[in-house]
Amino acid sequence: MDHYCCLANEKKSPAEWQYICFQDALPTGALEPAALLVWIDSHTDRKQAVRWLREHRPRIPFFTVDVDASVDQLELWMELGAESVLNPGTAFATVQTLTRARIGVHLLGQSPEIASARDRIALVAPRRCSVLIEGETGTGKEVAARSIHEMSDRKNSPFVTVNCAAIPETLLEAELFGHVKGAFTGALQTRIGKFEAANKGTIFLDEI
């Protein structure tokens, strides 16, 4: 068996995925993959494989099938950054399912602009920082924000959307940060704010 990478893309079936050797550069104009699946045989240099991946596709998550690996070698893969070590019988289906969840399947299209947007989403998603998303009404700012959330380690925590334009200025602070009962006229009970509701997750402030 050759040492190869499978370029798994969520838009294609497994039969259409590309297979290339470690030592070769990716084809010019190749479709940006959602993930890389590395299939290892007994002759593969595992560290060489990882060096290849980091050089050619440093920001794309990768999985591996390593049938002959010892427990120590499996642990090495995880230390080197593999998302998971998969069973060979289910690897293709597993990668396809996981990449659909990670890449933000709501962001559709294959234009250079969409590809660039996906790259930027993948770049910021792992980071704990504030992100400014600009665009006219209807261009998909919430879709981009939700994709960032779904690709982050916060994906199992709340995603809270706040339409700031729909909240009166006098109530904005209470809406965002909460209030206790009696804090102002009409505050009949204590209420947590949107920031607290989004704790450990993502808050999307729309129309700021």
Side-chain angles (χ1 to χ4, degrees):
M1 183 188 295
D2 291 334
H3 313 154
Y4 62 85
C5 289
C6 168
L7 276 64
N9 188 285
E10 84 282 3
K11 299 298 181 185
K12 294 190 172 187
S13 68
E16 297 175 296
W17 290 346
Q18 289 182 287
Y19 298 83
I20 57 176
C21 291
F22 292 135
Q23 293 83 358
D24 299 332
L26 288 174
T28 302
L31 186 64
E32 184 77 1
L36 292 169
L37 175 61
V38 186
W39 199 294
I40 299 299
D41 67 12
S42 59
H43 304 293
T44 302
D45 182 327
R46 293 170 175 80
K47 290 187 178 180
Q48 177 192 8
V50 172
R51 284 196 298 270
W52 188 95
L53 291 168
R54 287 176 174 169
E55 178 182 352
H56 292 284
R57 281 296 186 268
R59 297 198 308 271
I60 294 178
F62 73 91
F63 303 81
T64 186
V65 174
D66 197 343
V67 180
D68 299 322
S70 65
V71 173
D72 288 344
Q73 288 167 334
L74 293 176
E75 290 179 351
L76 174 64
W77 271 115
M78 304 310 292
E79 290 173 5
L80 293 174
E83 297 288 318
S84 184
V85 180
L86 305 175
N87 184 298
T90 58
F92 295 126
T94 301
V95 171
Q96 191 171 43
T97 298
L98 293 175
T99 54
R100 282 181 182 275
R102 288 180 62 91
I103 201 63
V105 295
H106 306 291
L107 195 61
L108 304 178
Q110 295 296 334
S111 69
E113 291 78 11
I114 289 293
S116 176
R118 285 199 184 100
D119 282 344
R120 294 183 180 214
I121 287 171
L123 185 64
V124 301
R127 293 167 169 76
R128 293 185 176 275
C129 62
S130 299
V131 179
L132 176 63
I133 303 173
E134 296 181 303
E136 298 295 329
T137 299
T139 55
K141 296 185 293 296
E142 184 173 349
V143 171
R146 190 173 293 276
S147 293
I148 292 171
H149 175 75
E150 290 177 355
M151 291 179 66
S152 73
D153 60 4
R154 305 177 300 280
K155 60 183 179 293
N156 295 322
S157 298
F159 177 84
V160 177
T161 299
V162 182
N163 183 352
C164 296
I167 303 172
E169 184 177 354
T170 54
L171 297 179
L172 185 60
E173 181 178 355
E175 188 72 18
L176 293 179
F177 300 104
H179 59 77
V180 297
K181 180 179 179 180
F184 54 87
T185 302
L188 303 180
Q189 59 185 3
T190 298
R191 182 178 178 183
I192 67 170
K194 298 296 186 182
F195 279 101
E196 185 175 352
N199 185 37
K200 297 184 179 179
T202 301
I203 185 167
F204 173 57
L205 302 176
D206 197 12
E207 303 293 342
I208 58 175

